[in-house]
């Protein structure tokens, strides 16, 4: 009987999880039952490797990892920054590349240069606050939204937004522009701090295998 402990992975649901599984396949880690799109199962096991995988909402991934319910998480850098959990970020997986930006109509650019008290709509209040308060030293009012952030400056809820830009087409189709860049983003692997010590050999091997195919 294999009594090796399971190494548990929390994957951010959706495209991130699909890309992660593709990458894992390249290093010989497969999970057939997870590929079944119709399944309502939440947890999947690779018995031979003693790996367990589950899908979670992106913002919950760092939570599972911090508490040790998952040893390893795959999640966007945006979520890592926003959640601010005590976890180790160990690897940039190189996919899901995009940028966190301050965006708005062209004429809002001026408002960013004179420390005006403006309103910033965002799904990422911590990232926005850190950027305006600690980097720009500009006092702003942050308005938390849950999606379709580009609407805010169009309907007059805010002057600018702090949001993810990938291709830039959402901005373009709504007459908005990137005014400033906050930081680059991509998918990252995160590790629980205790797991990193207790399962160091398996985790280090996983990281070095992944580095070869990234
Ligand atoms: C994200 C982001 C932008 C868009 C950027 O939204 O918030 O709206 O994608 O992509 P683009 O630069 O390629 O156009 P998402 O589709 O995740 O939905 P949301 O608006 O509900 O956050």
């Amino acid at each position: 009987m294999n009594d090796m402990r399971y190494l548990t992975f929390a994957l951010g649901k959706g495209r991130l999880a699909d890309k992660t599984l593709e990458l894992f396949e390249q290093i010989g880690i497969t999970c057939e039952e997870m590929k079944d799109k119709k399944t309502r199962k939440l947890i999947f096991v690779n018995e031979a490797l003693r790996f367990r995988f589950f899908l979670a909402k992106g913002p919950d991934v760092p939570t599972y990892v911090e508490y040790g319910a998952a040893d390893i998480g795959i999640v966007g850098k945006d979520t890592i920054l926003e959640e601010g959990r005590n976890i180790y970020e160990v690897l940039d997986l190189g996919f899901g590349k995009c940028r966190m930006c301050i965006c708005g109509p062209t004429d809002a650019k001026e408002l960013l240069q004179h420390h005006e008290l403006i309103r910033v709509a965002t799904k990422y209040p911590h990232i926005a606050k850190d950027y305006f308060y600690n980097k720009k030293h500009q006092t702003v009012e942050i308005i938390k939204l849950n999606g379709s952030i580009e609407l805010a400056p169009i309907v007059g809820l805010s002057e600018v937004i702090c949001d993810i830009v990938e291709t830039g087409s959402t901005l373009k189709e709504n007459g908005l522009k990137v005014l400033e860049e906050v930081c680059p983003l991509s998918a990252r692997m995160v590790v629980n701090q205790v797991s990193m010590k207790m399962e160091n050999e398996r985790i280090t091997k996983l990281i070095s295998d992944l580095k070869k195919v990234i």
Side-chain angles (χ1 to χ4, degrees):
M1 202 187 84
N2 188 348
D3 59 2
M4 194 176 13
R5 170 186 177 288
Y6 281 111
L7 212 53
T8 303
F9 293 74
L11 311 181
K13 256 186 208 170
R15 232 167 3 136
L16 207 64
D18 295 344
K19 284 271 189 189
T20 303
L21 293 178
E22 276 173 35
L23 192 66
F24 279 14
E25 282 214 7
Q26 291 180 45
I27 59 166
I29 299 172
T30 52
C31 194
E32 287 308 316
E33 50 176 5
M34 216 165 159
K35 289 185 196 158
D36 176 5
K37 297 281 176 210
K38 291 196 300 277
T39 186
R40 301 294 292 167
K41 233 174 132 168
L42 294 172
I43 190 143
F44 308 91
V45 181
N46 178 320
E47 275 303 338
L49 292 168
R50 301 291 279 179
F51 284 171
R52 285 199 308 186
F53 299 88
F54 66 80
L55 298 174
K57 281 263 189 195
D60 294 340
V61 169
T63 312
Y64 284 106
V65 174
E66 181 182 278
Y67 283 91
D71 301 288
I72 293 171
I74 307 293
V75 67
K77 178 71 179 176
D78 50 321
T79 306
I80 298 173
L81 291 171
E82 184 61 24
E83 296 300 313
R85 293 280 176 184
N86 286 313
I87 49 180
Y88 293 135
E89 183 188 320
V90 297
L91 191 62
D92 184 342
L93 297 173
F95 58 80
K97 280 198 167 115
C98 50
R99 302 180 292 156
M100 185 64 72
C101 297
I102 307 302
C103 313
T106 313
D107 59 12
K109 197 167 177 73
E110 224 183 300
L111 304 172
L112 299 169
Q113 284 153 5
H114 306 297
H115 291 86
E116 306 232 14
L117 178 60
I118 51 169
R119 287 168 302 180
V120 182
T122 185
K123 203 152 83 172
Y124 301 91
H126 290 110
I127 296 176
K129 197 170 171 187
D130 179 61
Y131 181 71
F132 279 99
Y133 284 67
N134 299 331
K135 295 213 179 76
K136 284 181 64 80
H137 307 290
Q138 179 171 3
T139 306
V140 296
E141 184 180 344
I142 291 166
I143 303 174
K144 161 91 202 256
L145 290 178
N146 295 295
S148 303
I149 316 298
E150 290 83 357
L151 262 177
I154 298 172
V155 299
L157 177 65
S158 70
E159 281 73 37
V160 297
I161 61 173
C162 173
D163 198 20
I164 292 174
V165 179
E166 194 183 348
T167 61
S169 55
T170 311
L171 290 179
K172 200 168 171 213
E173 287 184 32
N174 292 290
L176 304 173
K177 291 218 153 61
V178 171
L179 304 175
E180 288 178 1
E181 183 173 322
V182 177
C183 62
L185 305 168
S186 57
R188 308 289 162 98
M189 181 166 140
V190 295
V191 179
N192 171 268
Q193 295 184 344
V194 176
S195 307
M196 197 66 208
K197 293 190 184 73
M198 305 301 284
E199 294 291 333
N200 192 271
E201 208 172 308
R202 290 168 87 192
I203 295 174
T204 307
K205 164 97 168 58
L206 175 68
I207 295 170
S208 71
D209 286 351
L210 283 169
K211 276 185 179 163
K212 287 176 200 146
V213 297
I214 289 168

